[in-house]
Amino acid sequence: MSEYLGKKIPENILSIISPDKEDRLNSAVFLITVDTDGSPRSALLSPYQICSVSEGEFFFTVYKGSHTSMNLEENGKSLFIFQIEGGVTYVRCISEVMPQESIKNYFSDEILFLASDLEVSRDFSEKARITSVTSFDQSSVQKNYTETFRQIRNVAKSWKS
């Protein structure tokens, strides 16, 4: 059963997505959106595609032209699932496109979104801890990940100012 944590990103997640943390964990973050017919749509994000701006907001990118980006532009409903410390943390939010910002990389064009209006909960059981997390082989995409994060971090730092 999920435990409601409130409207702020917990410290263990903030430590992963902070703009000050260049060395990102290699665990995939699940992103669920809603298609126009009401069906769920899943995507996987790298932690390099997510950067906090406060305890209650964060930036993230998805591939331009993807079903996920179209869903987010259409209705903004999103659910992020972080696998951490033997459990999962769910962050339900509303996401809005940041049209003035463009994220271009070596392999892809991405759209920047701001997630806000958070509802955070966690599933954890000492008796049934999660012992394995989904991770990416970064060897061929590390350069792209790093460039994505550099651009998001620059926007996040100027957003805080």
Side-chain angles (χ1 to χ4, degrees):
M1 178 175 220
S2 293
E3 171 191 9
Y4 179 71
L5 300 179
K7 300 183 96 30
K8 295 181 180 176
I9 304 166
E11 185 56 44
N12 62 349
I13 303 295
L14 278 174
S15 68
I16 296 169
I17 64 172
S18 167
D20 300 323
K21 183 155 178 73
E22 288 187 41
D23 184 25
R24 312 303 258 188
L25 283 179
N26 185 24
S27 66
V29 177
F30 293 82
L31 170 58
I32 311 299
T33 60
V34 181
D35 283 343
T36 54
D37 68 358
S39 301
R41 165 89 44 194
S42 60
L44 291 176
L45 300 184
S46 160
Y48 288 91
Q49 292 175 274
I50 305 170
C51 187
S52 63
V53 292
S54 70
E55 292 178 329
E57 296 177 312
F58 58 92
F59 285 123
F60 67 96
T61 64
V62 297
Y63 295 120
K64 185 176 186 175
S66 65
H67 287 286
T68 299
S69 71
M70 290 185 280
N71 290 346
L72 291 167
E73 289 179 271
E74 176 74 25
N75 63 39
K77 294 178 182 180
S78 48
L79 169 68
F80 289 81
I81 304 171
F82 294 87
Q83 304 168 92
I84 187 167
E85 298 174 359
V88 291
T89 299
Y90 307 104
V91 180
R92 286 181 44 183
C93 53
I94 299 298
S95 301
E96 62 182 292
V97 69
M98 303 298 293
Q100 70 276 20
E101 304 296 341
S102 177
I103 307 295
K104 289 196 175 281
N105 294 315
Y106 306 102
F107 307 128
S108 61
D109 285 346
E110 300 183 35
I111 298 176
L112 184 67
F113 289 88
L114 176 66
S116 60
D117 194 22
L118 309 182
E119 293 288 332
V120 182
S121 59
R122 175 170 162 75
D123 271 336
F124 174 80
S125 171
E126 193 62 55
K127 294 178 183 177
R129 293 175 61 88
I130 294 174
T131 59
S132 176
V133 298
T134 304
S135 60
F136 292 105
D137 174 2
Q138 302 180 137
S139 58
S140 63
V141 293
Q142 186 63 44
K143 186 176 180 182
N144 201 56
Y145 281 179
T146 303
E147 179 59 20
T148 296
F149 175 66
R150 185 191 65 75
Q151 292 179 55
I152 297 171
R153 179 179 58 195
N154 288 343
V155 175
K157 286 190 174 196
S158 68
W159 184 267
K160 286 181 163 183
S161 306

